[in-house]
Amino acid sequence: TASLLTACSATQKVIFNRYWNYDALRFEDIHEVLEYDVSFEEGTGYGYGLNYNGTYRTELQSQTTPEGYLYLYTTELITEVTYTLGEESKAIIDRVTTEVKFYPAENGLQPIYSKKSVVSSSPMTTKPTSIEDCYRTYAYEVTTEYEGKQGKSTLTQNGKTTEHTFTIDDEKANYLDNEQLLLSLRAMPASVNSTQLLAYSPFTASVQKIAVGFGNGAEGEFEYFKNGES
């Protein structure tokens, strides 16, 4: 198991490897799609019913350009949320999509561009008088562009757009984009017990230090399909 935590401890840089390839030491074209069913504990204590049913899809693919090859990683979390008040119910589709483009392992998975779009709902009050009182919807979109150690983020929320520029000092730690943090765990050698990553947060307009810790492995059985076969 692995965990990502905001922290301030220091550590050395990680040498990433492309472990999603059969041969991690040699570049291979990749187009990997993973799909999951997502379940949530049913919400209680609100004074109305909450039921969730979701799916999560990730896609990793390599792209060849005149300057070399890059990776594009996209994710999509779709959740159908059903609010029930008395005899009345309303279903809302929550959607979170991300995409991030970055350089290969030999370039430290250095990010180039990312985008995150969110349309979601959240439980509101414990004493609703109508089904519309049970939830609040919100939406935002954030894009981040990188060029060397410089970057710019654009956050659009409630019809308002804010922009911030930032500088990342990566002399002592790898820096990544928020949307590739989980994928980066797959590129870390098994010898890494803990490390520290840098990631810019557009919500705090600051570069944050992320501590990565690895615990004991867990075993479990599950069924999966590869290329349509079980």
Side-chain angles (χ1 to χ4, degrees), residues 104-218:
E106 52 264 38
N107 299 97
L109 304 181
Q110 182 178 340
I112 302 170
Y113 167 85
S114 76
K115 178 180 178 180
K116 182 174 187 175
S117 300
V118 175
V119 178
S120 188
S121 63
S122 177
M124 275 289 289
T125 178
T126 58
K127 296 181 179 180
T129 57
S130 68
I131 195 71
E132 285 74 20
D133 294 335
C134 297
Y135 63 91
R136 176 184 63 181
T137 58
Y138 62 94
Y140 68 85
E141 182 176 281
V142 58
T143 61
T144 308
E145 301 172 74
Y146 301 86
E147 186 172 351
K149 295 184 179 181
Q150 307 299 316
K152 181 180 75 171
S153 70
T154 303
L155 174 64
T156 301
Q157 187 174 23
N158 299 324
K160 181 181 178 181
T161 298
T162 57
E163 291 187 355
H164 292 281
T165 58
F166 57 92
T167 301
I168 296 181
D169 179 8
D170 65 339
E171 296 302 322
K172 295 182 179 180
N174 305 83
Y175 83 84
L176 300 173
D177 185 86
N178 277 304
E179 308 313 324
Q180 64 178 143
L181 286 174
L182 290 178
L183 179 67
S184 73
L185 300 178
R186 292 176 57 187
M188 293 185 183
S191 59
V192 175
N193 294 319
S194 64
T195 188
Q196 179 179 284
L197 305 173
L198 299 178
Y200 177 78
S201 170
F203 302 101
T204 62
S206 64
V207 176
Q208 296 184 337
K209 297 178 180 179
I210 310 296
V212 180
F214 294 87
N216 296 326

Side-chain angles (χ1 to χ4, degrees), residues 2-164:
S3 59
L4 295 171
L5 301 171
T6 302
C8 56
S9 60
T11 188
Q12 63 183 5
K13 281 192 174 184
V14 176
I15 304 300
F16 292 112
N17 290 291
R18 53 180 81 87
Y19 291 122
W20 38 76
N21 285 149
Y22 179 78
D23 183 351
L25 300 179
R26 182 172 63 88
F27 170 72
E28 300 170 358
D29 288 328
I30 186 171
H31 187 186
E32 173 192 88
V33 177
L34 303 176
E35 296 181 340
Y36 308 86
D37 290 326
V38 180
S39 61
F40 303 84
E41 291 186 6
E42 186 171 344
T44 59
Y46 293 100
Y48 48 89
L50 271 174
N51 183 265
Y52 301 88
N53 183 30
T55 59
Y56 182 60
R57 183 181 188 273
T58 72
E59 183 174 3
L60 174 66
Q61 54 185 319
S62 56
Q63 299 181 334
T64 302
T65 72
E67 293 76 27
Y69 70 92
L70 310 172
Y71 286 111
L72 177 65
Y73 182 63
T74 60
T75 72
E76 182 179 54
L77 174 63
I78 299 176
T79 308
E80 181 177 310
V81 187
T82 302
Y83 295 85
T84 302
L85 180 63
E87 300 297 322
E88 188 177 5
S89 294
K90 185 169 185 178
I92 297 176
I93 302 298
D94 291 352
R95 187 186 303 269
V96 179
T97 61
T98 73
E99 64 177 80
V100 57
K101 184 175 289 189
F102 55 96
Y103 290 104
E106 52 264 38
N107 299 97
L109 304 181
Q110 182 178 340
I112 302 170
Y113 167 85
S114 76
K115 178 180 178 180
K116 182 174 187 175
S117 300
V118 175
V119 178
S120 188
S121 63
S122 177
M124 275 289 289
T125 178
T126 58
K127 296 181 179 180
T129 57
S130 68
I131 195 71
E132 285 74 20
D133 294 335
C134 297
Y135 63 91
R136 176 184 63 181
T137 58
Y138 62 94
Y140 68 85
E141 182 176 281
V142 58
T143 61
T144 308
E145 301 172 74
Y146 301 86
E147 186 172 351
K149 295 184 179 181
Q150 307 299 316
K152 181 180 75 171
S153 70
T154 303
L155 174 64
T156 301
Q157 187 174 23
N158 299 324
K160 181 181 178 181
T161 298
T162 57
E163 291 187 355
H164 292 281

